[in-house]
Amino acid sequence: MLYPIDTLTRSKKNLDGVWNFQVDRDGSGRSQSWYNGLPSPIQMPVPSSYNDITTSAELRDFIGDVWYECRLYIPRDWKKDNVFLRFGAVAHTAEVWVNGELVVENRNGFLPFEAEITNLVRQEEKLHISVRVNNELTWEMLPPGEIVTKTLPDGRVEKTLHQQHDFFNYVGIHRPVYLYTKPDVSIEDVVVDTEFTGDVGHVHVGVETKGEAASITLTVQNRDGEVVAAGSGDHATLDIPSVQLWSPNHPYLYLLHCKLFYENGELLDHYVVSVGVRTVEVKDRQVWLNGSPVYLTGFGKHEDADVRGKGYDAVTNVRDFNLMKECGANSFRTSHYPYAEEILQLADEMGFLVIDETSAVGLLSQGVPATGELEPVFSNGRITKELKNYHVDTVRRLIERDRNHPCVIMWSISNEASTMEEEAIPYFQRIIDEVRALDTRPIMNVNLMLIEPERCEVSPLVDVIGLNVYFGWYSTPGDLVKGKEDLHDYLSRWESHHQQPVMITEYGVDTIAGLHKSPPVMFSEEFQVEFLATYHAVFDMFSNVGGEHIWNFADFMTKQDTVRVDGNKKGLFTRNRQPKMAVHSVRERWKSLKVGRG
Ligand code: BDP
């Protein structure tokens, strides 16, 4: 799905701002036609999670429907165009009405969706957009969850969310909302793939169109605006001489202009895609970027910030990327769901390698921390056909959304699923087949520490194995001598049982900023420093370790729990994006690592 942009033939209008909002306590809003207007709304910023905007604990923890609405005029010069309404993401399920008519429903909290509303755009009247949002999770969606209901003595129904994943169930209209125009004869999709031979870059382009265009032209411009390659047709390879390759240290982007023309030379449609020429492959137990091995340094992240929750926030994102660069990070994982498209655009611009993850987190029998014996979920009917279809659909929509980004180097198909079960094999094979049919990038699956190398059924199917490791924290808490031995033993067994590179996708400890202890104890800043240094020394002993992502970039909110102190505190930075002590030793290591850093 193409991102809405302004071009010679297209316009967009951003609808972010303050919308009307109302909680639908008894779920009767639909039958009372709230889509025609909310009876007593309050103000709510968009994009944002609604949970932390007021001071009400009831709203923060509310389970059920809420409604948003806004009204606006459509510019007169849009009369001749087709008009679309597009949401970057609404968590978790949404129904959208325009002028009282249901135009689209969506059941995926982390991916964009849109509706054509051309027929509903009345020139002299304001457009009325109304959205019903529901935050209930089920085991037929991702991440999975369960709502347990209880009828109280006074007849009210109390709902509780049971979730396996370790982040707060933030919800609302989370990402930018756009109205945009598209001509009748239009560019529907552009698919770009790149490679190079010697110093010539090859940009393979596929263009999907609607309607009858007489010709399609394709041109590549460099940063100075000069045309460096040109071609035509719906499938073409454009060669760029003396190509500037894209990498984290040199995030050079070209612009690919696609234009559709009528016979008489009239321009019908114009769309522009940023292109970074680079290659990614996995061989010799390493990840290779542009023909050289690259060692990934960086973080597992979250879309999470104080007050905003999971709402898209350019300020936080640019700050995060600056801090990551400053640490010597060259990469991050979109743990544990697809991030906003604008974040990937920024990663293209600023130069980060991204492991793009689906929202398949929590496909197991326990919540966090998962300790002790796991119960099966694939073989006991917990994982249904509906869930699998949802996962396949998510992977397809994710790839269709993100495949043109040079920053995306890998797809992560799940985090910590119950992969010790044989029944997980056909399930994941189906997901992998879907990815392979759509794209050539390597596939990663992220493994739960409890599932030992000899027991994991899914790792043999993927290209890179992600390992989340917490020895000395969740196992033998506080004992880093034992933790180090266990980590060494664990990595040795992965090395001998599996031929693929492994990537340490999580390692870290909860650390309360400002808590100092000598000798170090758990939760102190000194312990975080020591834990990370201990782990780094072990990683350096294994040539099949292709990278290290600290868990987490910043402290983040979780549900309230005895194992969480106002959220998860494993950040190298606080939730307000200020450094903890360990930043300094991590920066020293990452900036001096000799292995290729892209
Ligand atoms: C891992 C999960 C991650 C948690 C982390 C932790 O992948 O989402 O936040 O543990 O416990 O199991 O901090």
Side-chain angles (χ1 to χ4, degrees), residues 164-167 301-302 333 335-336 357 361-362 364 367-370 415-416 446-449 468-470 473-474 505-506 508-510 551-552 556 558 563-564 568-570:
Q164 326 288 101
H165 51 279
D166 186 34
F167 48 92
K301 285 188 97 263
H302 264 299
R333 175 169 62 122
S335 38
H336 295 305
E357 187 157 282
V361 53
L364 79 174
V368 175
N415 181 74
E416 298 190 340
V446 177
N447 195 71
L448 176 72
M449 180 174 111
N468 294 349
V469 280
Y470 291 96
W473 184 258
Y474 288 131
T505 34
E506 289 184 25
V509 290
D510 287 85
W551 189 256
N552 186 283
F556 59 92
T558 63
V563 293
R564 296 288 176 253
N568 189 312
K569 291 282 189 278
K570 295 195 183 69

Side-chain angles (χ1 to χ4, degrees), residues 162-189:
H162 288 216
Q163 62 176 63
Q164 326 288 101
H165 51 279
D166 186 34
F167 48 92
F168 189 82
N169 189 37
Y170 278 120
V171 279
I173 301 181
H174 274 163
R175 297 182 188 159
V177 185
Y178 283 106
L179 281 170
Y180 74 93
T181 65
K182 198 162 67 175
D184 272 339
V185 178
S186 59
I187 296 163
E188 290 296 300
D189 202 3

Side-chain angles (χ1 to χ4, degrees), residues 219-223 228 253-257 272-275:
T219 49
V220 177
Q221 263 180 343
N222 67 14
R223 260 191 206 163
V228 290
L253 293 174
Y254 293 90
L255 291 180
L256 168 69
H257 290 261
V272 188
V273 180
S274 293
V275 175

